[in-house]
Amino acid sequence: MKLQRKNRRALTLGALAVSGALALTACGSDETGGTGGTGGKETNAANIKCDDAKGQLAASGSSAQKNAIDAWTKAYAQACQGVQVQYNPTGSGAGITAFLQGQTAFAGSDSALEPEEIEKSKKICKGGQAIDLPMVGGPIAVGYNVPGVDNLVLDAKTLADIFNDKIKTWDDPAIKKLNPDAKLPNTKVQAFHRSDESGTTDNFTKYLKGAAPDAWPHEPGKTWEAKGGQSANGSAGVSSQVKQTAGAISYFELSYADGIKTVDLKTEAKEPVKATVDNASKAIAEAKVTGKGKDLALELNYKPQAEGAYPITLVTYEIVCDKGNKAETLATTKSFLNYISSEDGQQVLKDNDYAPIPDEIITKVRETVAGLS
């Protein structure tokens, strides 16, 4: 699996070199040509400290946080004129690869670094190493397009069977049992998964493995392991397929669910749980810091105990060197990360269908950003 992942990263890195970075200094555009993610409340640009920020700052990675990055970059550009932040939403795997190759100042990833990646980072982070800074939280929504069905409840086992190509039609008995009042059609199930290395896939499969281990025999990971189904690139790719394909179902961040119906999850709670920012925050609050030193990698709880907690969540990390950052980008890196971890920056998340990082954790992030060198 590691060899497969390395090969995939090499391919995506080549694509990164061809595609170049997306400049998001004004009004960011989403992967489908729209203007997603910038419709929330305006941030007070006067509270953004530009310090000695200058020039261009290149970053890439998680497409899950792209709508947040769009909103952040718009506010940052208003405050720090002349500074250009470029973020290319290539996916978590490609973002880490680019960072470890020294091509970007930081990477976005929906999964924490693996030990071998931290070790490799020491060649780029002179005198230091790469660390995980949890910056963006949120629910992974399960979106569906089933004509005539406005409300749909599924549990972990049924989801696992759908994405493992065992449930073929929407009127399957397992789905009927969970939705006795719904008029379920005999429409073919069209399950879409990510084609690129994805932290969203990693977290979604961790949920399936943790909540329904007997029904999901595959190991969690950024690369999709199950057979069957169809694939599309990026969060925008799979959500677009759901919009246009009758019978489709897929997983993506809530910010990509615009106009798409989402599944309510049957958990141990009394009532099925909706994919909302507040419900995701209830689950993320149960996360534990497992990183060592300045690394703030989290262990998420995919079977949270809190009533109303939505269990399919992810945390996107900004990955950066704790020491050994390039002199020409250090000031801009610290300025931008300081803003997005600030109270104003975290409020932008909630305004754009993401979950702010809990206070206890984001306070540690701010302290760590201040000490980057």
Side-chain angles (χ1 to χ4, degrees):
M1 179 176 174
K2 289 183 179 179
L3 180 59
Q4 181 185 19
R5 194 174 75 173
K6 288 180 180 177
N7 289 339
R8 188 179 292 272
R9 282 190 178 174
L11 290 172
T12 50
L13 181 57
L16 173 61
V18 173
S19 64
L22 283 172
L24 301 173
T25 54
C27 182
S29 63
D30 65 23
E31 293 169 273
T32 57
T35 53
T38 58
K41 295 192 302 184
E42 292 295 325
T43 297
N44 185 357
N47 293 337
I48 299 176
K49 298 180 180 179
C50 303
D51 295 326
D52 296 319
K54 60 183 179 180
Q56 296 184 348
L57 188 69
S60 65
S62 164
S63 64
Q65 69 169 354
K66 181 188 178 296
N67 291 338
I69 290 282
D70 281 1
W72 278 332
T73 309
K74 180 180 179 181
Y76 188 76
Q78 290 173 349
C80 305
Q81 296 185 14
V83 181
Q84 189 176 58
V85 179
Q86 299 172 319
Y87 184 82
N88 198 348
T90 54
S92 298
I96 292 174
T97 297
F99 176 78
L100 293 177
Q101 293 289 337
Q103 296 186 8
T104 54
F106 69 90
S109 176
D110 306 320
S111 297
L113 290 165
E114 296 181 359
E116 60 266 28
E117 292 169 333
I118 293 176
E119 187 62 30
K120 187 175 182 180
S121 74
K122 294 177 182 179
K123 296 180 181 179
I124 300 299
C125 307
K126 303 299 183 182
Q129 66 175 47
I131 55 174
D132 299 286
L133 300 178
M135 202 72 73
V136 181
I140 300 174
V142 180
Y144 69 95
N145 180 353
V146 183
V149 180
D150 293 329
N151 298 288
L152 185 67
V153 176
L154 297 175
D155 58 15
K157 182 183 184 306
T158 307
L159 272 175
D161 286 342
I162 286 173
F163 282 92
N164 204 27
D165 203 28
K166 288 189 175 182
I167 290 180
K168 305 290 187 180
T169 61
W170 282 104
D171 60 352
D172 186 274
I175 301 177
K176 282 186 174 181
K177 184 177 180 180
L178 291 166
N179 300 272
D181 298 326
K183 294 182 179 180
L184 297 165
N186 190 35
T187 305
K188 181 182 177 181
V189 171
Q190 306 272 8
F192 285 88
H193 57 266
R194 292 278 290 271
S195 60
D196 54 322
E197 272 198 355
S198 164
T200 312
T201 293
D202 189 21
N203 284 281
F204 181 64
T205 53
K206 281 179 179 176
Y207 163 74
L208 295 178
K209 188 69 172 180
D214 293 337
W216 192 256
H218 314 286
E219 286 302 313
K222 296 186 183 77
T223 302
W224 187 258
E225 295 291 330
K227 305 300 180 184
Q230 303 177 64
S231 64
N233 186 71
S235 299
V238 291
S239 62
S240 177
Q241 289 296 328
V242 172
K243 280 186 177 181
Q244 65 189 26
T245 307
I249 184 170
S250 190
Y251 55 92
F252 38 79
E253 298 70 41
L254 184 61
S255 64
Y256 286 90
D258 184 29
I260 299 175
K261 298 167 187 174
T262 60
V263 168
D264 293 349
L265 287 178
K266 180 175 174 55
T267 65
E268 297 301 319
K270 295 179 181 179
E271 299 293 333
V273 184
K274 294 185 178 298
T276 69
V277 168
D278 289 338
N279 288 346
S281 294
K282 292 177 183 178
I284 294 173
E286 296 187 25
K288 297 179 180 179
V289 176
T290 56
K292 298 179 180 179
K294 295 181 180 180
D295 187 88
L296 298 176
L298 301 176
E299 180 181 335
L300 296 174
N301 181 6
Y302 295 100
K303 299 177 74 173
Q305 298 299 312
E307 188 73 20
Y310 184 81
I312 317 180
T313 61
L314 62 73
V315 168
T316 300
Y317 300 92
E318 311 311 336
I319 294 170
V320 66
C321 295
D322 59 354
K323 297 178 181 179
N325 289 280
K326 294 179 181 179
E328 60 268 28
T329 58
L330 176 60
T332 308
T333 299
K334 291 180 69 172
S335 171
F336 185 68
L337 295 181
N338 178 67
Y339 159 56
I340 67 178
S341 63
S342 70
E343 185 175 342
D344 278 351
Q346 289 292 295
Q347 180 59 44
V348 167
L349 295 179
K350 196 166 186 178
D351 293 338
N352 288 276
D353 292 329
Y354 294 93
I357 300 299
D359 288 342
E360 181 179 349
I361 298 172
I362 202 64
T363 297
K364 295 178 181 178
V365 171
R366 294 166 186 156
E367 293 170 354
T368 304
V369 169
L372 297 180
S373 62

